[in-house]
Amino acid sequence: MLKLVEGARDACLTAHDVGVLAWDSVRHAGYAVRRHKLLFRQLFEVGNSSLLIVGVFGLFVGLILVLYGGDQLSRFNQEKYIGLTGLAVVWEFGPVFTAFILAGRIGSAYAAEIGTMKVSEEIDALQVMGVKPEAYLAAPRLLACALMLPALVVYADFAAMMGGAGMAWVSVRVAPSEFFRVFFQYLEFKEMARSLIKAVVFGGIIAVTGCYHGFRTTGGAEGVGKSTTASVVHSLLAILVADYFISRILLAL
Amino acid sequence: MIEVRDLVAGYDGTVVLDGISLSVEAREIVVIMGQSGCGKSTFLKHLIGLQKPISGDVKINGIDVAHMSEEDYRAFCRSVGVLFQSGGLFNSMTVGENVAFPLREHTKLAEPVVDIVVKLKLQQVGLPGIEGLMPSALSGGMRKRAGLARALALDPTILFLDEPTTGLDPIIGAGIDALILRIRDIYRATMVVVAHDIASSMHIADRIAIFRDNKLVELGTPEQIRGSPNPYVQQFLNRQPDRTDHPTESFGYLR
Ligand SMILES: Nc1ncnc2c1ncn2[C@@H]1O[C@H](COP(=O)(O)OP(=O)(O)OP(=O)(O)O)[C@@H](O)[C@H]1O
Ligand SMILES: [Mg+2]
């Protein structure tokens, strides 16, 4: 019982700290924009390092979805609607899978970078030179993730559609033109917008979680390893939980 | 002028500093000495407001460093130079960029001027021409001195140096001692220096503070410290080991 109370208190404290860090990063977004070199480096890092893997991921998601979807639809002779699998990509698979990839690649790198700086007194050095670590380190990373993730999601969606269209032809003989016609007929603008809003929030979650674990690193190289792992696990969890709540809120609108 | 009153400090739960009171006059060099792990670095981090005391306070020129507004702290940092025990260099930047960092952050100097100042500062610490190297390519002693060059970049009026000469050879170490004295005399800087080397501390210090077991046990001019009746201070100055008669059986088990 006491454990439970303590756990709840710790969770509240953590939530508070994460909230403060998130707010500080947003508050200092102006600094990151002024120091555009810092921001561009982070944007490049996020976009460039994930391009190939996000593309391959998207392609295979498209292939698999259409493979199963085609199989199911052909039982009811409704193969012509196979283009609808694209909607699932836009709703869920695009944003969530891309966010998962970024949590593994970028969030963990943030925790490791900032954690290493923490244990080698670089963060202290930054502070005594009058620079807020939240402004110099967290803000550019938050902006980079929140801006770059939507772009990567569109790109992943595109790759998935290419894979899906190809698979539709191979497995159920639906021409790509037909595939895309159905897809665009049923795709609404607000669904695309919903997907991008999710991407922005997921990007924020990845950056803040990574930075948070970096900043609270203690105890040398071992501590850095722990932070890195924790950042990935926690962002994956937070992304799914946020996905549920955002979906509920946006669907209600 | 730095005033520390009844400072109690520690890390979640454990007390590392217990009721330290100490004041440092303007243009004075106070050297902090004491055994490894007695809280010297922790003390320094409280003086610069990086860590918040459990109780007591630290005032620099009358302002409480732990509770400054963001703007005040930034202005405070402009006049302060800090050398961390590990050097604290940014490993993702070259040495030159490291030294230039505070200049770019706090001044509007043109880039060619920044370059000149960087060269000058590196020259002062005996490392001319290394501005293009990455910190990972430096030896321990070179990292220390590069960190010192960065701490000096803004010609600070208050300097906090955590073991500036530890790990340096005697010649370079003596050079750094001379540099510290010159900075005090030319720039009229106030300094708090953590050091282990007794001869060097006696040479540069106006006053020496000796820490033991979370407390300040002795404070005075080098002469007063030398003549201190405190047996611990004498043991410390004369480099006598603790008499913890290690049972000799505990050696040799692996033979
Ligand atoms: N980040 C930390 N978290 C918890 N305890 C710490 C931390 N940093 C230091 N300590 C503890 O505080 C005490 C004082 O450490 P500090 O680094 O101030 O010692 P020091 O006097 O500078 O030693 P040295 O001469 O070896 O540098 C030590 O017992 C250490 O275990
Ligand atoms: Mg120390």
PDB file of all heavy atoms in Angstrom, chain A residues 27-28 31 35 120-122 124-132 136, chain B residues 45 50 70 74 77 84-86 88-91 93 101 105-106 150:
ATOM      1  N   ARG A  27       9.065  27.350 -24.531  1.00  0.00           N
ATOM      2  CA  ARG A  27       9.303  28.754 -24.190  1.00  0.00           C
ATOM      3  C   ARG A  27      10.559  29.288 -24.879  1.00  0.00           C
ATOM      4  O   ARG A  27      10.638  30.460 -25.236  1.00  0.00           O
ATOM      5  CB  ARG A  27       9.483  28.836 -22.672  1.00  0.00           C
ATOM      6  CG  ARG A  27       9.284  30.165 -22.036  1.00  0.00           C
ATOM      7  CD  ARG A  27       8.970  29.974 -20.558  1.00  0.00           C
ATOM      8  NE  ARG A  27      10.029  29.258 -19.862  1.00  0.00           N
ATOM      9  CZ  ARG A  27      11.052  29.864 -19.239  1.00  0.00           C
ATOM     10  NH1 ARG A  27      11.156  31.160 -19.246  1.00  0.00           N
ATOM     11  NH2 ARG A  27      11.972  29.145 -18.627  1.00  0.00           N
ATOM     12  N   HIS A  28      11.550  28.406 -25.047  1.00  0.00           N
ATOM     13  CA  HIS A  28      12.807  28.850 -25.641  1.00  0.00           C
ATOM     14  C   HIS A  28      12.901  28.536 -27.131  1.00  0.00           C
ATOM     15  O   HIS A  28      13.981  28.561 -27.708  1.00  0.00           O
ATOM     16  CB  HIS A  28      13.996  28.230 -24.900  1.00  0.00           C
ATOM     17  CG  HIS A  28      14.168  28.789 -23.527  1.00  0.00           C
ATOM     18  ND1 HIS A  28      13.819  28.088 -22.392  1.00  0.00           N
ATOM     19  CD2 HIS A  28      14.604  29.992 -23.093  1.00  0.00           C
ATOM     20  CE1 HIS A  28      14.058  28.837 -21.325  1.00  0.00           C
ATOM     21  NE2 HIS A  28      14.527  29.991 -21.718  1.00  0.00           N
ATOM     22  N   TYR A  31      14.780  31.024 -29.126  1.00  0.00           N
ATOM     23  CA  TYR A  31      16.243  30.919 -29.071  1.00  0.00           C
ATOM     24  C   TYR A  31      16.729  29.979 -30.172  1.00  0.00           C
ATOM     25  O   TYR A  31      17.677  30.276 -30.891  1.00  0.00           O
ATOM     26  CB  TYR A  31      16.649  30.403 -27.691  1.00  0.00           C
ATOM     27  CG  TYR A  31      18.142  30.242 -27.486  1.00  0.00           C
ATOM     28  CD1 TYR A  31      18.907  31.277 -26.958  1.00  0.00           C
ATOM     29  CD2 TYR A  31      18.779  29.039 -27.800  1.00  0.00           C
ATOM     30  CE1 TYR A  31      20.261  31.129 -26.759  1.00  0.00           C
ATOM     31  CE2 TYR A  31      20.134  28.878 -27.601  1.00  0.00           C
ATOM     32  CZ  TYR A  31      20.871  29.924 -27.078  1.00  0.00           C
ATOM     33  OH  TYR A  31      22.216  29.757 -26.889  1.00  0.00           O
ATOM     34  N   ARG A  35      19.198  30.872 -33.158  1.00  0.00           N
ATOM     35  CA  ARG A  35      20.431  30.122 -33.398  1.00  0.00           C
ATOM     36  C   ARG A  35      20.137  29.068 -34.457  1.00  0.00           C
ATOM     37  O   ARG A  35      20.166  27.870 -34.184  1.00  0.00           O
ATOM     38  CB  ARG A  35      20.890  29.450 -32.099  1.00  0.00           C
ATOM     39  CG  ARG A  35      21.158  30.417 -30.952  1.00  0.00           C
ATOM     40  CD  ARG A  35      22.469  31.123 -31.134  1.00  0.00           C
ATOM     41  NE  ARG A  35      23.563  30.166 -31.220  1.00  0.00           N
ATOM     42  CZ  ARG A  35      24.427  29.957 -30.241  1.00  0.00           C
ATOM     43  NH1 ARG A  35      24.342  30.619 -29.134  1.00  0.00           N
ATOM     44  NH2 ARG A  35      25.392  29.075 -30.395  1.00  0.00           N
ATOM     45  N   SER A 120      29.800  14.338 -18.007  1.00  0.00           N
ATOM     46  CA  SER A 120      31.135  14.910 -18.186  1.00  0.00           C
ATOM     47  C   SER A 120      31.146  16.408 -17.857  1.00  0.00           C
ATOM     48  O   SER A 120      32.025  17.135 -18.307  1.00  0.00           O
ATOM     49  CB  SER A 120      31.647  14.671 -19.607  1.00  0.00           C
ATOM     50  OG  SER A 120      30.781  15.259 -20.533  1.00  0.00           O
ATOM     51  N   GLU A 121      30.164  16.861 -17.101  1.00  0.00           N
ATOM     52  CA  GLU A 121      30.069  18.247 -16.600  1.00  0.00           C
ATOM     53  C   GLU A 121      29.876  19.281 -17.708  1.00  0.00           C
ATOM     54  O   GLU A 121      30.040  20.471 -17.487  1.00  0.00           O
ATOM     55  CB  GLU A 121      31.299  18.618 -15.750  1.00  0.00           C
ATOM     56  CG  GLU A 121      31.422  17.805 -14.470  1.00  0.00           C
ATOM     57  CD  GLU A 121      32.566  18.250 -13.565  1.00  0.00           C
ATOM     58  OE1 GLU A 121      33.695  18.343 -14.043  1.00  0.00           O
ATOM     59  OE2 GLU A 121      32.310  18.486 -12.373  1.00  0.00           O
ATOM     60  N   GLU A 122      29.508  18.822 -18.927  1.00  0.00           N
ATOM     61  CA  GLU A 122      29.298  19.787 -20.007  1.00  0.00           C
ATOM     62  C   GLU A 122      28.038  20.618 -19.780  1.00  0.00           C
ATOM     63  O   GLU A 122      27.987  21.800 -20.131  1.00  0.00           O
ATOM     64  CB  GLU A 122      29.193  19.070 -21.358  1.00  0.00           C
ATOM     65  CG  GLU A 122      30.525  18.497 -21.823  1.00  0.00           C
ATOM     66  CD  GLU A 122      30.390  17.773 -23.150  1.00  0.00           C
ATOM     67  OE1 GLU A 122      29.819  18.336 -24.083  1.00  0.00           O
ATOM     68  OE2 GLU A 122      30.849  16.620 -23.238  1.00  0.00           O
ATOM     69  N   ASP A 124      26.826  21.453 -16.830  1.00  0.00           N
ATOM     70  CA  ASP A 124      27.205  22.443 -15.828  1.00  0.00           C
ATOM     71  C   ASP A 124      27.951  23.597 -16.484  1.00  0.00           C
ATOM     72  O   ASP A 124      27.695  24.763 -16.194  1.00  0.00           O
ATOM     73  CB  ASP A 124      28.118  21.798 -14.765  1.00  0.00           C
ATOM     74  CG  ASP A 124      27.331  20.922 -13.805  1.00  0.00           C
ATOM     75  OD1 ASP A 124      26.096  21.051 -13.784  1.00  0.00           O
ATOM     76  OD2 ASP A 124      27.955  20.117 -13.094  1.00  0.00           O
ATOM     77  N   ALA A 125      28.868  23.248 -17.380  1.00  0.00           N
ATOM     78  CA  ALA A 125      29.661  24.276 -18.050  1.00  0.00           C
ATOM     79  C   ALA A 125      28.754  25.214 -18.842  1.00  0.00           C
ATOM     80  O   ALA A 125      28.915  26.434 -18.817  1.00  0.00           O
ATOM     81  CB  ALA A 125      30.697  23.635 -18.976  1.00  0.00           C
ATOM     82  N   LEU A 126      27.789  24.623 -19.531  1.00  0.00           N
ATOM     83  CA  LEU A 126      26.843  25.415 -20.312  1.00  0.00           C
ATOM     84  C   LEU A 126      26.131  26.409 -19.405  1.00  0.00           C
ATOM     85  O   LEU A 126      26.025  27.599 -19.710  1.00  0.00           O
ATOM     86  CB  LEU A 126      25.827  24.449 -20.928  1.00  0.00           C
ATOM     87  CG  LEU A 126      25.118  24.821 -22.215  1.00  0.00           C
ATOM     88  CD1 LEU A 126      26.126  25.165 -23.280  1.00  0.00           C
ATOM     89  CD2 LEU A 126      24.244  23.668 -22.663  1.00  0.00           C
ATOM     90  N   GLN A 127      25.667  25.917 -18.255  1.00  0.00           N
ATOM     91  CA  GLN A 127      24.908  26.758 -17.342  1.00  0.00           C
ATOM     92  C   GLN A 127      25.733  27.924 -16.808  1.00  0.00           C
ATOM     93  O   GLN A 127      25.239  29.041 -16.741  1.00  0.00           O
ATOM     94  CB  GLN A 127      24.397  25.923 -16.172  1.00  0.00           C
ATOM     95  CG  GLN A 127      22.944  25.553 -16.346  1.00  0.00           C
ATOM     96  CD  GLN A 127      22.514  24.537 -15.319  1.00  0.00           C
ATOM     97  OE1 GLN A 127      23.159  23.509 -15.138  1.00  0.00           O
ATOM     98  NE2 GLN A 127      21.437  24.822 -14.642  1.00  0.00           N
ATOM     99  N   VAL A 128      26.997  27.643 -16.429  1.00  0.00           N
ATOM    100  CA  VAL A 128      27.776  28.742 -15.856  1.00  0.00           C
ATOM    101  C   VAL A 128      28.270  29.706 -16.921  1.00  0.00           C
ATOM    102  O   VAL A 128      28.800  30.748 -16.600  1.00  0.00           O
ATOM    103  CB  VAL A 128      28.989  28.258 -15.019  1.00  0.00           C
ATOM    104  CG1 VAL A 128      28.529  27.419 -13.872  1.00  0.00           C
ATOM    105  CG2 VAL A 128      29.983  27.530 -15.878  1.00  0.00           C
ATOM    106  N   MET A 129      28.080  29.351 -18.178  1.00  0.00           N
ATOM    107  CA  MET A 129      28.345  30.355 -19.212  1.00  0.00           C
ATOM    108  C   MET A 129      27.065  31.101 -19.556  1.00  0.00           C
ATOM    109  O   MET A 129      26.981  31.792 -20.579  1.00  0.00           O
ATOM    110  CB  MET A 129      28.952  29.689 -20.437  1.00  0.00           C
ATOM    111  CG  MET A 129      30.409  29.310 -20.176  1.00  0.00           C
ATOM    112  SD  MET A 129      31.259  28.780 -21.628  1.00  0.00           S
ATOM    113  CE  MET A 129      31.141  27.038 -21.465  1.00  0.00           C
ATOM    114  N   GLY A 130      26.064  30.941 -18.691  1.00  0.00           N
ATOM    115  CA  GLY A 130      24.842  31.729 -18.839  1.00  0.00           C
ATOM    116  C   GLY A 130      23.911  31.234 -19.913  1.00  0.00           C
ATOM    117  O   GLY A 130      23.053  31.973 -20.380  1.00  0.00           O
ATOM    118  N   VAL A 131      24.072  29.985 -20.354  1.00  0.00           N
ATOM    119  CA  VAL A 131      23.207  29.443 -21.395  1.00  0.00           C
ATOM    120  C   VAL A 131      22.309  28.387 -20.766  1.00  0.00           C
ATOM    121  O   VAL A 131      22.797  27.483 -20.098  1.00  0.00           O
ATOM    122  CB  VAL A 131      24.040  28.801 -22.516  1.00  0.00           C
ATOM    123  CG1 VAL A 131      23.129  28.210 -23.578  1.00  0.00           C
ATOM    124  CG2 VAL A 131      24.957  29.828 -23.113  1.00  0.00           C
ATOM    125  N   LYS A 132      21.004  28.532 -20.985  1.00  0.00           N
ATOM    126  CA  LYS A 132      20.094  27.545 -20.403  1.00  0.00           C
ATOM    127  C   LYS A 132      20.141  26.270 -21.228  1.00  0.00           C
ATOM    128  O   LYS A 132      19.918  26.313 -22.442  1.00  0.00           O
ATOM    129  CB  LYS A 132      18.671  28.092 -20.381  1.00  0.00           C
ATOM    130  CG  LYS A 132      18.496  29.214 -19.392  1.00  0.00           C
ATOM    131  CD  LYS A 132      17.076  29.254 -18.875  1.00  0.00           C
ATOM    132  CE  LYS A 132      16.788  28.054 -18.036  1.00  0.00           C
ATOM    133  NZ  LYS A 132      15.877  28.268 -16.936  1.00  0.00           N
ATOM    134  N   TYR A 136      19.412  25.674 -25.252  1.00  0.00           N
ATOM    135  CA  TYR A 136      20.482  25.313 -26.179  1.00  0.00           C
ATOM    136  C   TYR A 136      20.344  23.882 -26.675  1.00  0.00           C
ATOM    137  O   TYR A 136      20.629  23.589 -27.838  1.00  0.00           O
ATOM    138  CB  TYR A 136      21.825  25.495 -25.478  1.00  0.00           C
ATOM    139  CG  TYR A 136      23.022  25.347 -26.383  1.00  0.00           C
ATOM    140  CD1 TYR A 136      23.440  26.409 -27.180  1.00  0.00           C
ATOM    141  CD2 TYR A 136      23.731  24.152 -26.448  1.00  0.00           C
ATOM    142  CE1 TYR A 136      24.522  26.276 -28.011  1.00  0.00           C
ATOM    143  CE2 TYR A 136      24.818  24.008 -27.268  1.00  0.00           C
ATOM    144  CZ  TYR A 136      25.212  25.087 -28.052  1.00  0.00           C
ATOM    145  OH  TYR A 136      26.288  24.941 -28.877  1.00  0.00           O
TER     146      TYR A 136
ATOM    147  N   LYS B  45      30.357  24.053  -6.580  1.00  0.00           N
ATOM    148  CA  LYS B  45      29.111  24.085  -7.360  1.00  0.00           C
ATOM    149  C   LYS B  45      28.016  24.874  -6.650  1.00  0.00           C
ATOM    150  O   LYS B  45      27.126  25.414  -7.309  1.00  0.00           O
ATOM    151  CB  LYS B  45      28.648  22.662  -7.674  1.00  0.00           C
ATOM    152  CG  LYS B  45      29.527  22.056  -8.749  1.00  0.00           C
ATOM    153  CD  LYS B  45      29.023  20.769  -9.317  1.00  0.00           C
ATOM    154  CE  LYS B  45      30.004  20.314 -10.398  1.00  0.00           C
ATOM    155  NZ  LYS B  45      29.782  18.944 -10.828  1.00  0.00           N
ATOM    156  N   LEU B  50      25.041  26.274  -9.158  1.00  0.00           N
ATOM    157  CA  LEU B  50      24.644  25.097  -9.941  1.00  0.00           C
ATOM    158  C   LEU B  50      23.846  24.135  -9.091  1.00  0.00           C
ATOM    159  O   LEU B  50      23.042  23.365  -9.607  1.00  0.00           O
ATOM    160  CB  LEU B  50      25.881  24.370 -10.477  1.00  0.00           C
ATOM    161  CG  LEU B  50      26.498  24.965 -11.720  1.00  0.00           C
ATOM    162  CD1 LEU B  50      27.730  24.184 -12.115  1.00  0.00           C
ATOM    163  CD2 LEU B  50      25.495  24.977 -12.858  1.00  0.00           C
ATOM    164  N   GLU B  70      16.445  34.744 -14.013  1.00  0.00           N
ATOM    165  CA  GLU B  70      17.216  34.261 -15.156  1.00  0.00           C
ATOM    166  C   GLU B  70      18.152  35.333 -15.710  1.00  0.00           C
ATOM    167  O   GLU B  70      19.297  35.068 -16.028  1.00  0.00           O
ATOM    168  CB  GLU B  70      16.267  33.792 -16.270  1.00  0.00           C
ATOM    169  CG  GLU B  70      16.003  32.305 -16.214  1.00  0.00           C
ATOM    170  CD  GLU B  70      14.964  31.870 -17.237  1.00  0.00           C
ATOM    171  OE1 GLU B  70      15.011  32.360 -18.382  1.00  0.00           O
ATOM    172  OE2 GLU B  70      14.114  31.037 -16.885  1.00  0.00           O
ATOM    173  N   ARG B  74      22.305  35.320 -15.742  1.00  0.00           N
ATOM    174  CA  ARG B  74      23.053  35.458 -16.990  1.00  0.00           C
ATOM    175  C   ARG B  74      24.108  36.554 -16.860  1.00  0.00           C
ATOM    176  O   ARG B  74      25.259  36.380 -17.269  1.00  0.00           O
ATOM    177  CB  ARG B  74      22.097  35.753 -18.144  1.00  0.00           C
ATOM    178  CG  ARG B  74      22.668  35.422 -19.486  1.00  0.00           C
ATOM    179  CD  ARG B  74      21.665  35.653 -20.597  1.00  0.00           C
ATOM    180  NE  ARG B  74      22.373  36.150 -21.779  1.00  0.00           N
ATOM    181  CZ  ARG B  74      23.051  35.370 -22.604  1.00  0.00           C
ATOM    182  NH1 ARG B  74      23.103  34.083 -22.401  1.00  0.00           N
ATOM    183  NH2 ARG B  74      23.682  35.887 -23.633  1.00  0.00           N
ATOM    184  N   CYS B  77      26.881  35.301 -14.727  1.00  0.00           N
ATOM    185  CA  CYS B  77      27.753  34.378 -15.455  1.00  0.00           C
ATOM    186  C   CYS B  77      28.742  35.110 -16.354  1.00  0.00           C
ATOM    187  O   CYS B  77      29.836  34.615 -16.613  1.00  0.00           O
ATOM    188  CB  CYS B  77      26.919  33.417 -16.307  1.00  0.00           C
ATOM    189  SG  CYS B  77      25.956  32.275 -15.323  1.00  0.00           S
ATOM    190  N   PHE B  84      35.985  23.275 -14.439  1.00  0.00           N
ATOM    191  CA  PHE B  84      35.483  22.084 -13.761  1.00  0.00           C
ATOM    192  C   PHE B  84      36.600  21.071 -13.586  1.00  0.00           C
ATOM    193  O   PHE B  84      37.584  21.080 -14.323  1.00  0.00           O
ATOM    194  CB  PHE B  84      34.322  21.479 -14.548  1.00  0.00           C
ATOM    195  CG  PHE B  84      33.092  22.325 -14.484  1.00  0.00           C
ATOM    196  CD1 PHE B  84      32.836  23.274 -15.456  1.00  0.00           C
ATOM    197  CD2 PHE B  84      32.208  22.195 -13.442  1.00  0.00           C
ATOM    198  CE1 PHE B  84      31.716  24.083 -15.380  1.00  0.00           C
ATOM    199  CE2 PHE B  84      31.086  22.987 -13.355  1.00  0.00           C
ATOM    200  CZ  PHE B  84      30.838  23.931 -14.332  1.00  0.00           C
ATOM    201  N   GLN B  85      36.368  20.182 -12.620  1.00  0.00           N
ATOM    202  CA  GLN B  85      37.414  19.202 -12.308  1.00  0.00           C
ATOM    203  C   GLN B  85      37.774  18.369 -13.537  1.00  0.00           C
ATOM    204  O   GLN B  85      38.935  18.073 -13.783  1.00  0.00           O
ATOM    205  CB  GLN B  85      36.951  18.294 -11.166  1.00  0.00           C
ATOM    206  CG  GLN B  85      38.031  17.356 -10.685  1.00  0.00           C
ATOM    207  CD  GLN B  85      37.718  16.769  -9.313  1.00  0.00           C
ATOM    208  OE1 GLN B  85      36.663  17.011  -8.744  1.00  0.00           O
ATOM    209  NE2 GLN B  85      38.646  16.011  -8.775  1.00  0.00           N
ATOM    210  N   SER B  86      36.751  18.002 -14.329  1.00  0.00           N
ATOM    211  CA  SER B  86      37.032  17.178 -15.507  1.00  0.00           C
ATOM    212  C   SER B  86      37.295  18.047 -16.738  1.00  0.00           C
ATOM    213  O   SER B  86      37.391  17.533 -17.843  1.00  0.00           O
ATOM    214  CB  SER B  86      35.855  16.250 -15.781  1.00  0.00           C
ATOM    215  OG  SER B  86      34.713  17.019 -16.089  1.00  0.00           O
ATOM    216  N   GLY B  88      35.292  19.868 -18.343  1.00  0.00           N
ATOM    217  CA  GLY B  88      33.970  20.296 -18.794  1.00  0.00           C
ATOM    218  C   GLY B  88      33.931  20.827 -20.213  1.00  0.00           C
ATOM    219  O   GLY B  88      33.021  21.548 -20.592  1.00  0.00           O
ATOM    220  N   LEU B  89      34.920  20.456 -21.043  1.00  0.00           N
ATOM    221  CA  LEU B  89      34.919  20.921 -22.436  1.00  0.00           C
ATOM    222  C   LEU B  89      33.770  20.268 -23.200  1.00  0.00           C
ATOM    223  O   LEU B  89      33.405  19.130 -22.922  1.00  0.00           O
ATOM    224  CB  LEU B  89      36.236  20.534 -23.121  1.00  0.00           C
ATOM    225  CG  LEU B  89      37.488  21.238 -22.632  1.00  0.00           C
ATOM    226  CD1 LEU B  89      38.712  20.640 -23.321  1.00  0.00           C
ATOM    227  CD2 LEU B  89      37.413  22.726 -22.903  1.00  0.00           C
ATOM    228  N   PHE B  90      33.210  21.000 -24.159  1.00  0.00           N
ATOM    229  CA  PHE B  90      32.180  20.409 -25.009  1.00  0.00           C
ATOM    230  C   PHE B  90      32.863  19.469 -25.998  1.00  0.00           C
ATOM    231  O   PHE B  90      33.620  19.908 -26.864  1.00  0.00           O
ATOM    232  CB  PHE B  90      31.409  21.487 -25.764  1.00  0.00           C
ATOM    233  CG  PHE B  90      30.719  22.449 -24.864  1.00  0.00           C
ATOM    234  CD1 PHE B  90      30.948  23.804 -24.965  1.00  0.00           C
ATOM    235  CD2 PHE B  90      29.840  22.001 -23.890  1.00  0.00           C
ATOM    236  CE1 PHE B  90      30.316  24.695 -24.123  1.00  0.00           C
ATOM    237  CE2 PHE B  90      29.203  22.882 -23.039  1.00  0.00           C
ATOM    238  CZ  PHE B  90      29.445  24.229 -23.155  1.00  0.00           C
ATOM    239  N   ASN B  91      32.563  18.194 -25.885  1.00  0.00           N
ATOM    240  CA  ASN B  91      33.276  17.208 -26.697  1.00  0.00           C
ATOM    241  C   ASN B  91      32.888  17.226 -28.165  1.00  0.00           C
ATOM    242  O   ASN B  91      33.573  16.656 -28.992  1.00  0.00           O
ATOM    243  CB  ASN B  91      33.051  15.811 -26.119  1.00  0.00           C
ATOM    244  CG  ASN B  91      33.846  15.621 -24.848  1.00  0.00           C
ATOM    245  OD1 ASN B  91      35.059  15.781 -24.836  1.00  0.00           O
ATOM    246  ND2 ASN B  91      33.173  15.317 -23.759  1.00  0.00           N
ATOM    247  N   MET B  93      32.704  19.944 -29.914  1.00  0.00           N
ATOM    248  CA  MET B  93      33.276  21.122 -30.578  1.00  0.00           C
ATOM    249  C   MET B  93      34.798  21.064 -30.505  1.00  0.00           C
ATOM    250  O   MET B  93      35.355  20.431 -29.621  1.00  0.00           O
ATOM    251  CB  MET B  93      32.856  22.412 -29.857  1.00  0.00           C
ATOM    252  CG  MET B  93      31.388  22.628 -29.758  1.00  0.00           C
ATOM    253  SD  MET B  93      31.136  24.143 -28.816  1.00  0.00           S
ATOM    254  CE  MET B  93      29.384  24.032 -28.503  1.00  0.00           C
ATOM    255  N   PHE B 101      33.151  29.923 -27.314  1.00  0.00           N
ATOM    256  CA  PHE B 101      31.738  29.812 -26.933  1.00  0.00           C
ATOM    257  C   PHE B 101      31.246  30.957 -26.038  1.00  0.00           C
ATOM    258  O   PHE B 101      30.267  31.629 -26.370  1.00  0.00           O
ATOM    259  CB  PHE B 101      31.491  28.457 -26.267  1.00  0.00           C
ATOM    260  CG  PHE B 101      30.044  28.130 -26.067  1.00  0.00           C
ATOM    261  CD1 PHE B 101      29.330  27.450 -27.034  1.00  0.00           C
ATOM    262  CD2 PHE B 101      29.382  28.531 -24.911  1.00  0.00           C
ATOM    263  CE1 PHE B 101      27.989  27.162 -26.853  1.00  0.00           C
ATOM    264  CE2 PHE B 101      28.037  28.248 -24.725  1.00  0.00           C
ATOM    265  CZ  PHE B 101      27.346  27.563 -25.705  1.00  0.00           C
ATOM    266  N   GLU B 105      28.613  33.923 -27.031  1.00  0.00           N
ATOM    267  CA  GLU B 105      27.349  33.945 -26.288  1.00  0.00           C
ATOM    268  C   GLU B 105      27.124  35.303 -25.624  1.00  0.00           C
ATOM    269  O   GLU B 105      26.008  35.783 -25.558  1.00  0.00           O
ATOM    270  CB  GLU B 105      27.390  32.818 -25.246  1.00  0.00           C
ATOM    271  CG  GLU B 105      26.066  32.368 -24.727  1.00  0.00           C
ATOM    272  CD  GLU B 105      25.086  31.960 -25.809  1.00  0.00           C
ATOM    273  OE1 GLU B 105      25.423  31.167 -26.729  1.00  0.00           O
ATOM    274  OE2 GLU B 105      23.955  32.453 -25.734  1.00  0.00           O
ATOM    275  N   HIS B 106      28.201  35.931 -25.145  1.00  0.00           N
ATOM    276  CA  HIS B 106      28.028  37.127 -24.320  1.00  0.00           C
ATOM    277  C   HIS B 106      28.500  38.425 -24.955  1.00  0.00           C
ATOM    278  O   HIS B 106      28.270  39.481 -24.400  1.00  0.00           O
ATOM    279  CB  HIS B 106      28.780  36.954 -22.993  1.00  0.00           C
ATOM    280  CG  HIS B 106      28.101  36.035 -22.041  1.00  0.00           C
ATOM    281  ND1 HIS B 106      27.046  36.422 -21.258  1.00  0.00           N
ATOM    282  CD2 HIS B 106      28.299  34.728 -21.758  1.00  0.00           C
ATOM    283  CE1 HIS B 106      26.633  35.406 -20.522  1.00  0.00           C
ATOM    284  NE2 HIS B 106      27.376  34.362 -20.813  1.00  0.00           N
ATOM    285  N   ARG B 150      39.152  28.548 -21.554  1.00  0.00           N
ATOM    286  CA  ARG B 150      37.748  28.923 -21.757  1.00  0.00           C
ATOM    287  C   ARG B 150      37.218  29.721 -20.564  1.00  0.00           C
ATOM    288  O   ARG B 150      36.468  30.689 -20.725  1.00  0.00           O
ATOM    289  CB  ARG B 150      36.894  27.671 -21.967  1.00  0.00           C
ATOM    290  CG  ARG B 150      35.472  27.984 -22.354  1.00  0.00           C
ATOM    291  CD  ARG B 150      34.655  26.742 -22.603  1.00  0.00           C
ATOM    292  NE  ARG B 150      34.469  25.957 -21.375  1.00  0.00           N
ATOM    293  CZ  ARG B 150      33.831  24.797 -21.333  1.00  0.00           C
ATOM    294  NH1 ARG B 150      33.342  24.280 -22.448  1.00  0.00           N
ATOM    295  NH2 ARG B 150      33.701  24.152 -20.202  1.00  0.00           N
TER     296      ARG B 150
END
